[in-house]
Amino acid sequence: MSLSNFTDQSSLLALKAHITLDPHHVLAGNWSTKTSFCEWIGVSCNAQQQRVIALDLSNLGLRGTIPPDLGNLSFLVSLDLSSNNFHGPVPVEVGQLTSLLSMNLQYNLLSGQIPPSFGNLNRLQSLFLGNNSFTGTIPPSIGNMSMLETLGLGGNHLQGNIPEEIGKLSTMKILDIQSNQLVGAIPSAIFNISSLQEIALTYNSLSGDLPSSMCNHELSALRGIRLSANRFTGPIPSNLSKCGELQTLYLSFNKFTGGIPRSIDSLTKLTMLSLAANSLSGTIPEEISFLPSLEYLYLRSNSFTSPIPSAIFKISTLKAIDLGKNGFSGSMPLDIMCAHRPSLQLIGLDSNRFTGTIHGGIGNCTSLRELYLSSNDLTEYVSNGIVTTSGDVYSYGIVLMETFTRRRPTDEIFSEEMSMKNWVWDWLCGSITEVVDANLLRGEDEQFMAKKQCISLILGLAMDCVADSPEERIKMKDVVTTLKKIKTHISS
């Protein structure tokens, strides 16, 4: 064995020695010096020199730390340790792997700062560090990764500003820094990257106005803008219309003011428009009805007023429309909604000033799953033209889910494929702690198991309330009886 091959073997054995849990006995049973390291599970070598070029140990349930020796795999092109339980810092020596094209360390327990030495990886095309516990700031040296196409840093505890140097990444396609603690404005240089396809910065504390020139440049590849749950202010830039390939626009849960730009009708490929929970006002521009691909329109929790352009309800692709908690008035437009859009699955009109009654026209919404009409004036739930209390039972089931998950059916994590109802049901059959509000159920609580059982029973009751068929839903008197039984059971 040559010295260079011995170096590769030693580096791999050092990694094995840093593994404290190997539930599938992959390394313990296979990584043995009795066989060539090129034959070890997860290891790939080049044919000519028998040097390690790829290391893939993803999804093996491994627990341990990453040793500095890993930086000696000088021929390594691909490193994938994702979906394990690696913890501790990433050693700076990983920045020595200058042949790397791809690094995936996401879904681990890694902590500490992102090593500035990563700036040496100037051949790297994809870097996935998301869903760990990294702290500190984003190192400006990342701007030296001149070949980087995908940067995934979401789901960490990163602080400070987005470094201006990221704007130097001229080949960037995907920028994902969601769910961190970033502050300040978005560097305007990011919107000069012509190759950009997706910018995802939701759930941070970013602030300031969006650049008025954010779509002035040739962003012909941009498909998605996700900026929800920040502190952005000012108007929605009218030149968004120049991002003609845009398919998803998430600007909800910010502090945007003004109205919806009429130029929005230029976004003919837009399927998702989410502007909920801002300070937008005025009327909804009729131009929205010219969006031929729009499927989801979320405008709740603003200050929009009547009239609602009736043409909106004629968009053939529309599946969900939420106009709740605004200042709309007049007759509730359910008839015209359902006359033209039997494919509608969600209608939110609650917390407005609508008046009048609801009659059989709603029966034409044959695909409707969720209907929110509360906090208006003479409102009744009608199914196929007949007033029925099953709608109240369904609404109560939704309220139960909202209360114990701290989610709303209109939250952005839900879609046609995964509604809140399906989401709760999936975890109810598995680990209910994944959906329950963390403030209600904490592992260190002495009454954890009792509370968990109680919440599981209540969410099970919610499932009985929201059965697809009204005839299958539990009666309201039986809901009360079940709640009393749960209380008695937990108290005993």
Side-chain angles (χ1 to χ4, degrees):
M1 180 183 295
S2 68
L3 180 61
S4 57
N5 296 93
F6 180 78
T7 299
D8 282 6
Q9 177 180 277
S10 299
S11 300
L12 295 174
L13 290 175
L15 176 59
K16 178 182 177 181
H18 279 70
I19 301 298
T20 58
L21 179 65
D22 180 6
H24 303 292
H25 301 284
V26 174
L27 276 61
N30 180 264
W31 281 30
S32 169
T33 54
K34 294 179 181 179
T35 59
S36 168
F37 59 81
C38 291
E39 299 176 10
W40 294 354
I41 291 175
V43 178
S44 299
C45 296
N46 58 12
Q48 183 176 3
Q49 297 155 304
Q50 293 293 285
R51 300 296 301 276
V52 178
I53 58 172
L55 180 60
D56 183 357
L57 299 177
S58 59
N59 293 286
L60 294 178
L62 300 175
R63 181 185 299 165
T65 57
I66 300 175
D69 310 67
L70 206 65
N72 294 328
L73 297 175
S74 55
F75 275 62
L76 200 63
V77 173
S78 176
L79 173 63
D80 191 347
L81 303 179
S82 63
S83 300
N84 284 292
N85 293 295
F86 285 102
H87 56 89
V90 176
V92 295
E93 287 81 0
V94 173
Q96 299 171 185
L97 301 174
T98 55
S99 296
L100 270 185
L101 300 180
S102 174
M103 186 196 303
N104 190 348
L105 304 180
Q106 64 184 351
Y107 293 103
N108 278 287
L109 304 171
L110 298 168
S111 58
Q113 296 191 345
I114 298 173
S117 61
F118 278 13
N120 298 326
L121 307 177
N122 54 18
R123 296 182 61 190
L124 202 67
Q125 297 175 7
S126 60
L127 176 61
F128 297 98
L129 302 178
N131 294 283
N132 280 284
S133 296
F134 288 111
T135 56
T137 60
I138 301 173
S141 59
I142 282 182
N144 297 331
M145 299 180 180
S146 56
M147 304 296 290
L148 199 64
E149 297 181 357
T150 302
L151 178 60
L153 305 178
N156 283 288
H157 307 293
L158 299 172
Q159 300 176 329
N161 297 328
I162 300 174
E164 294 276 351
E165 288 78 1
I166 286 184
K168 296 163 54 179
L169 301 176
S170 59
T171 59
M172 178 78 73
K173 294 180 180 178
I174 308 294
L175 175 62
D176 179 359
I177 323 181
Q178 301 180 94
S179 299
N180 279 283
Q181 299 163 22
L182 301 174
V183 298
I186 303 175
S188 57
I190 287 178
F191 297 106
N192 295 339
I193 303 175
S194 60
S195 57
L196 201 61
Q197 296 178 3
E198 179 90 19
I199 177 169
L201 303 174
T202 62
Y203 294 100
N204 280 286
S205 296
L206 298 168
S207 59
D209 295 0
L210 294 185
S212 59
S213 59
M214 63 183 293
C215 283
N216 278 354
H217 303 278
E218 289 296 322
L219 292 177
S220 58
L222 192 62
R223 305 287 190 271
I225 297 177
R226 299 172 181 266
L227 304 179
S228 295
N230 280 284
R231 300 175 182 174
F232 293 114
T233 54
I236 297 173
S238 59
N239 75 340
L240 272 173
S241 59
K242 296 184 179 179
C243 290
E245 297 296 311
L246 204 61
Q247 297 174 11
T248 56
L249 179 60
Y250 292 89
L251 300 180
S252 58
F253 294 93
N254 279 288
K255 299 178 181 180
F256 290 111
T257 55
I260 301 175
R262 295 189 176 278
S263 57
I264 199 167
D265 61 350
S266 298
L267 301 178
T268 57
K269 297 186 178 180
L270 200 66
T271 62
M272 165 67 82
L273 177 59
S274 181
L275 306 177
N278 280 288
S279 298
L280 299 171
S281 58
T283 58
I284 300 174
E286 188 173 5
E287 283 78 3
I288 284 185
S289 63
F290 302 151
L291 300 176
S293 304
L294 192 64
E295 297 180 5
Y296 302 95
L297 177 62
Y298 297 127
L299 303 180
R300 92 174 283 115
S301 298
N302 280 287
S303 298
F304 291 114
T305 56
S306 298
I308 303 174
S310 59
I312 288 178
F313 309 131
K314 299 179 182 180
I315 301 175
S316 62
T317 51
L318 202 60
K319 296 178 181 177
I321 180 168
D322 190 352
L323 307 178
K325 204 173 181 182
N326 276 286
F328 298 115
S329 59
S331 299
M332 195 166 280
L334 283 171
D335 287 346
I336 188 171
M337 281 185 178
C338 295
H340 295 279
R341 290 280 53 79
S343 59
L344 271 173
Q345 298 173 9
L346 182 149
I347 298 175
L349 298 174
D350 56 294
S351 302
N352 280 287
R353 301 170 187 166
F354 292 115
T355 56
T357 59
I358 307 166
H359 49 82
I362 193 175
N364 295 320
C365 279
T366 54
S367 300
L368 196 63
R369 296 179 180 176
E370 299 174 39
L371 176 64
Y372 302 94
L373 307 178
S374 61
S375 300
N376 281 287
D377 296 328
L378 301 168
T379 297
E380 289 182 314
Y381 178 89
V382 178
S383 176
N384 296 324
I386 303 173
V387 178
T388 170
T389 57
S390 63
D392 297 328
V393 175
Y394 187 98
S395 297
Y396 183 73
I398 295 295
V399 168
L400 285 178
M401 287 187 275
E402 289 179 331
T403 301
F404 288 92
T405 66
R406 208 178 181 185
R407 294 279 190 181
R408 290 187 61 86
T410 53
D411 283 0
E412 293 172 2
I413 66 168
F414 303 127
S415 64
E416 177 185 1
E417 294 77 17
M418 180 55 71
S419 65
M420 183 170 76
K421 171 183 169 182
N422 294 336
W423 178 66
V424 171
W425 175 252
D426 286 348
W427 287 111
L428 191 61
C429 300
S431 177
I432 193 63
T433 56
E434 296 295 329
V435 298
V436 174
D437 179 4
N439 294 316
L440 297 178
L441 202 58
R442 298 179 180 274
E444 65 273 15
D445 195 326
E446 293 181 359
Q447 298 179 324
F448 174 80
M449 293 306 299
K451 288 183 177 180
K452 178 180 176 182
Q453 184 182 21
C454 177
I455 294 174
S456 295
L457 291 172
I458 290 174
L459 289 179
L461 173 62
M463 291 297 104
D464 292 336
C465 293
V466 296
D468 289 335
S469 171
E471 293 76 17
E472 296 176 352
R473 295 172 194 159
I474 189 173
K475 304 300 182 185
M476 203 64 204
K477 64 178 181 179
D478 296 326
V479 170
V480 176
T481 301
T482 302
L483 286 173
K484 288 181 178 179
K485 287 181 179 179
I486 293 173
K487 180 180 179 181
T488 302
H489 176 73
I490 296 302
S491 300
S492 61

